[in-house]
Amino acid sequence: GCDLTGLAFVFLKTNTATSAQSGLRITNNTSHGNYNEDISLNSPSGGLSDVEISGNRLWDPRRADNPTRIAIGVATGSGIRVTNNHVTGDWTDAFHFEEKLVGMVVSGNTAEVSQNGLVILNNNIGGARVVPVDCVFSGNTFKYTGSGSDHVGIRVTWDASGYSGAKDSGIFGNVV
């Protein structure tokens, strides 16, 4: 793995990128003192499949003009595994997942953060709200280290469009 520090973004795929990635491995890295998001794979415009984000340690992000500080975030993809990562520090969301995710596993992660542990939400893609399908979120531990009351261990957010929840997905065995 690598020791990554002082960067604007550590690993980034923007939501406008149309390229396809498969077989991507982001494993056993340390990342600290960076701005914005450390691992951000936002792929509604391009393909993303068979991705492993595992064994990484992320801590102490720097504050940037962007108020959202996400340690690990993924939007749209299939066969993504986020396992055994450790996140500490002043993050908005330790783990943030949205949009069209299929067959994702998020397990064995720990977070000690000033705001949210795990955020799962649908998002508007081409005028339609798309939710996770066949995803598992289990065996994760989240600890709040901030001083206010505006934080959530696990937040599952669907809009008011009438959708009732993630399809065939499970959230179980987590410690908050």
mmCIF file of all heavy atoms in Angstrom, residues 12 16 18 21 33-34 36 50 52 54 66 71 86 91 101 109 132 136 143:
data_model
loop_
_atom_site.group_PDB
_atom_site.id
_atom_site.type_symbol
_atom_site.label_atom_id
_atom_site.label_comp_id
_atom_site.label_asym_id
_atom_site.label_seq_id
_atom_site.Cartn_x
_atom_site.Cartn_y
_atom_site.Cartn_z
ATOM 1 N N LEU A 12 -10.078 9.339 -7.125
ATOM 2 C CA LEU A 12 -11.267 10.051 -7.592
ATOM 3 C C LEU A 12 -11.692 9.592 -8.972
ATOM 4 O O LEU A 12 -10.886 9.545 -9.905
ATOM 5 C CB LEU A 12 -10.995 11.563 -7.635
ATOM 6 C CG LEU A 12 -12.086 12.438 -8.253
ATOM 7 C CD1 LEU A 12 -13.350 12.401 -7.388
ATOM 8 C CD2 LEU A 12 -11.597 13.875 -8.415
ATOM 9 N N THR A 16 -18.964 12.768 -13.938
ATOM 10 C CA THR A 16 -19.094 13.007 -15.373
ATOM 11 C C THR A 16 -18.182 12.107 -16.206
ATOM 12 O O THR A 16 -18.285 12.091 -17.426
ATOM 13 C CB THR A 16 -18.787 14.480 -15.710
ATOM 14 O OG1 THR A 16 -17.461 14.783 -15.266
ATOM 15 C CG2 THR A 16 -19.797 15.415 -15.039
ATOM 16 N N THR A 18 -16.944 9.124 -18.238
ATOM 17 C CA THR A 18 -17.695 8.112 -18.988
ATOM 18 C C THR A 18 -16.917 6.821 -19.191
ATOM 19 O O THR A 18 -17.429 5.875 -19.775
ATOM 20 C CB THR A 18 -18.110 8.667 -20.373
ATOM 21 O OG1 THR A 18 -16.932 9.056 -21.074
ATOM 22 C CG2 THR A 18 -19.050 9.854 -20.210
ATOM 23 N N GLN A 21 -14.428 1.112 -15.476
ATOM 24 C CA GLN A 21 -13.364 0.458 -14.722
ATOM 25 C C GLN A 21 -13.888 -0.867 -14.176
ATOM 26 O O GLN A 21 -15.021 -0.938 -13.690
ATOM 27 C CB GLN A 21 -12.896 1.320 -13.546
ATOM 28 C CG GLN A 21 -12.000 2.471 -13.927
ATOM 29 C CD GLN A 21 -12.774 3.643 -14.500
ATOM 30 O OE1 GLN A 21 -13.858 3.942 -14.046
ATOM 31 N NE2 GLN A 21 -12.216 4.292 -15.496
ATOM 32 N N GLY A 33 -4.522 13.764 6.290
ATOM 33 C CA GLY A 33 -4.183 15.144 5.978
ATOM 34 C C GLY A 33 -4.521 15.569 4.565
ATOM 35 O O GLY A 33 -3.886 16.453 4.008
ATOM 36 N N ASN A 34 -5.546 14.957 3.967
ATOM 37 C CA ASN A 34 -5.961 15.308 2.612
ATOM 38 C C ASN A 34 -7.211 16.189 2.649
ATOM 39 O O ASN A 34 -7.913 16.253 3.645
ATOM 40 C CB ASN A 34 -6.240 14.037 1.811
ATOM 41 C CG ASN A 34 -4.993 13.216 1.652
ATOM 42 O OD1 ASN A 34 -3.994 13.669 1.123
ATOM 43 N ND2 ASN A 34 -5.023 11.985 2.150
ATOM 44 N N ASN A 36 -11.035 17.268 0.893
ATOM 45 C CA ASN A 36 -12.190 16.683 0.205
ATOM 46 C C ASN A 36 -12.349 15.204 0.547
ATOM 47 O O ASN A 36 -12.225 14.823 1.698
ATOM 48 C CB ASN A 36 -12.097 16.924 -1.301
ATOM 49 C CG ASN A 36 -12.059 18.400 -1.636
ATOM 50 O OD1 ASN A 36 -12.939 19.151 -1.246
ATOM 51 N ND2 ASN A 36 -11.030 18.825 -2.333
ATOM 52 N N ASP A 50 -16.651 -4.964 -10.101
ATOM 53 C CA ASP A 50 -15.601 -5.778 -9.496
ATOM 54 C C ASP A 50 -14.520 -4.908 -8.858
ATOM 55 O O ASP A 50 -13.366 -4.901 -9.274
ATOM 56 C CB ASP A 50 -14.989 -6.722 -10.529
ATOM 57 C CG ASP A 50 -13.945 -7.648 -9.913
ATOM 58 O OD1 ASP A 50 -14.034 -7.928 -8.693
ATOM 59 O OD2 ASP A 50 -13.026 -8.063 -10.635
ATOM 60 N N GLU A 52 -12.595 -3.657 -5.229
ATOM 61 C CA GLU A 52 -12.286 -3.973 -3.836
ATOM 62 C C GLU A 52 -11.633 -2.758 -3.184
ATOM 63 O O GLU A 52 -10.618 -2.251 -3.669
ATOM 64 C CB GLU A 52 -11.340 -5.159 -3.748
ATOM 65 C CG GLU A 52 -10.960 -5.509 -2.320
ATOM 66 C CD GLU A 52 -9.967 -6.648 -2.237
ATOM 67 O OE1 GLU A 52 -9.666 -7.280 -3.269
ATOM 68 O OE2 GLU A 52 -9.482 -6.904 -1.126
ATOM 69 N N SER A 54 -10.285 -2.237 0.476
ATOM 70 C CA SER A 54 -10.094 -3.076 1.659
ATOM 71 C C SER A 54 -8.797 -2.752 2.390
ATOM 72 O O SER A 54 -7.763 -2.484 1.766
ATOM 73 C CB SER A 54 -10.081 -4.544 1.229
ATOM 74 O OG SER A 54 -9.917 -5.387 2.338
ATOM 75 N N ASN A 66 -15.007 22.765 0.438
ATOM 76 C CA ASN A 66 -16.101 21.813 0.320
ATOM 77 C C ASN A 66 -16.484 21.335 1.724
ATOM 78 O O ASN A 66 -15.666 20.718 2.401
ATOM 79 C CB ASN A 66 -15.651 20.628 -0.544
ATOM 80 C CG ASN A 66 -16.722 19.581 -0.712
ATOM 81 O OD1 ASN A 66 -17.792 19.670 -0.136
ATOM 82 N ND2 ASN A 66 -16.428 18.589 -1.518
ATOM 83 N N ALA A 71 -14.926 9.966 3.712
ATOM 84 C CA ALA A 71 -13.729 9.127 3.680
ATOM 85 C C ALA A 71 -13.774 8.161 2.492
ATOM 86 O O ALA A 71 -12.871 8.139 1.661
ATOM 87 C CB ALA A 71 -13.580 8.367 4.986
ATOM 88 N N HIS A 86 -10.534 1.259 8.202
ATOM 89 C CA HIS A 86 -10.634 1.972 9.485
ATOM 90 C C HIS A 86 -10.546 3.470 9.215
ATOM 91 O O HIS A 86 -9.588 3.936 8.587
ATOM 92 C CB HIS A 86 -9.531 1.540 10.436
ATOM 93 C CG HIS A 86 -9.641 2.183 11.775
ATOM 94 N ND1 HIS A 86 -10.670 1.927 12.646
ATOM 95 C CD2 HIS A 86 -8.863 3.105 12.376
ATOM 96 C CE1 HIS A 86 -10.516 2.652 13.741
ATOM 97 N NE2 HIS A 86 -9.420 3.376 13.600
ATOM 98 N N TRP A 91 -14.818 13.673 9.798
ATOM 99 C CA TRP A 91 -15.452 13.370 8.518
ATOM 100 C C TRP A 91 -16.937 13.689 8.599
ATOM 101 O O TRP A 91 -17.572 13.453 9.623
ATOM 102 C CB TRP A 91 -15.286 11.900 8.169
ATOM 103 C CG TRP A 91 -13.876 11.457 8.035
ATOM 104 C CD1 TRP A 91 -13.100 10.869 8.994
ATOM 105 C CD2 TRP A 91 -13.044 11.571 6.891
ATOM 106 N NE1 TRP A 91 -11.848 10.606 8.517
ATOM 107 C CE2 TRP A 91 -11.786 11.035 7.222
ATOM 108 C CE3 TRP A 91 -13.238 12.080 5.608
ATOM 109 C CZ2 TRP A 91 -10.734 10.982 6.318
ATOM 110 C CZ3 TRP A 91 -12.196 12.025 4.719
ATOM 111 C CH2 TRP A 91 -10.954 11.479 5.073
ATOM 112 N N LEU A 101 -26.434 0.964 -7.004
ATOM 113 C CA LEU A 101 -25.444 -0.021 -6.579
ATOM 114 C C LEU A 101 -26.082 -1.403 -6.610
ATOM 115 O O LEU A 101 -27.188 -1.586 -6.104
ATOM 116 C CB LEU A 101 -24.961 0.306 -5.169
ATOM 117 C CG LEU A 101 -24.183 1.617 -5.065
ATOM 118 C CD1 LEU A 101 -24.077 2.070 -3.623
ATOM 119 C CD2 LEU A 101 -22.821 1.473 -5.704
ATOM 120 N N ASN A 109 -15.899 -2.957 8.621
ATOM 121 C CA ASN A 109 -15.290 -1.633 8.696
ATOM 122 C C ASN A 109 -15.498 -1.022 10.076
ATOM 123 O O ASN A 109 -16.463 -1.343 10.769
ATOM 124 C CB ASN A 109 -15.925 -0.718 7.639
ATOM 125 C CG ASN A 109 -15.716 -1.238 6.246
ATOM 126 O OD1 ASN A 109 -14.608 -1.228 5.738
ATOM 127 N ND2 ASN A 109 -16.785 -1.716 5.630
ATOM 128 N N PRO A 132 -30.091 1.066 -3.981
ATOM 129 C CA PRO A 132 -29.266 -0.142 -3.952
ATOM 130 C C PRO A 132 -30.110 -1.415 -4.122
ATOM 131 O O PRO A 132 -31.232 -1.486 -3.633
ATOM 132 C CB PRO A 132 -28.639 -0.110 -2.559
ATOM 133 C CG PRO A 132 -28.704 1.306 -2.137
ATOM 134 C CD PRO A 132 -29.951 1.851 -2.754
ATOM 135 N N VAL A 136 -25.395 -5.762 0.897
ATOM 136 C CA VAL A 136 -25.304 -6.188 2.297
ATOM 137 C C VAL A 136 -24.415 -5.206 3.044
ATOM 138 O O VAL A 136 -23.296 -4.908 2.602
ATOM 139 C CB VAL A 136 -24.713 -7.609 2.399
ATOM 140 C CG1 VAL A 136 -24.459 -7.992 3.846
ATOM 141 C CG2 VAL A 136 -25.628 -8.613 1.722
ATOM 142 N N LYS A 143 -18.518 4.685 15.815
ATOM 143 C CA LYS A 143 -18.480 5.400 17.093
ATOM 144 C C LYS A 143 -18.457 6.898 16.811
ATOM 145 O O LYS A 143 -17.629 7.373 16.015
ATOM 146 C CB LYS A 143 -17.244 5.008 17.897
ATOM 147 C CG LYS A 143 -17.147 5.728 19.229
ATOM 148 C CD LYS A 143 -15.928 5.293 20.001
ATOM 149 C CE LYS A 143 -15.840 6.050 21.317
ATOM 150 N NZ LYS A 143 -14.628 5.703 22.058
#
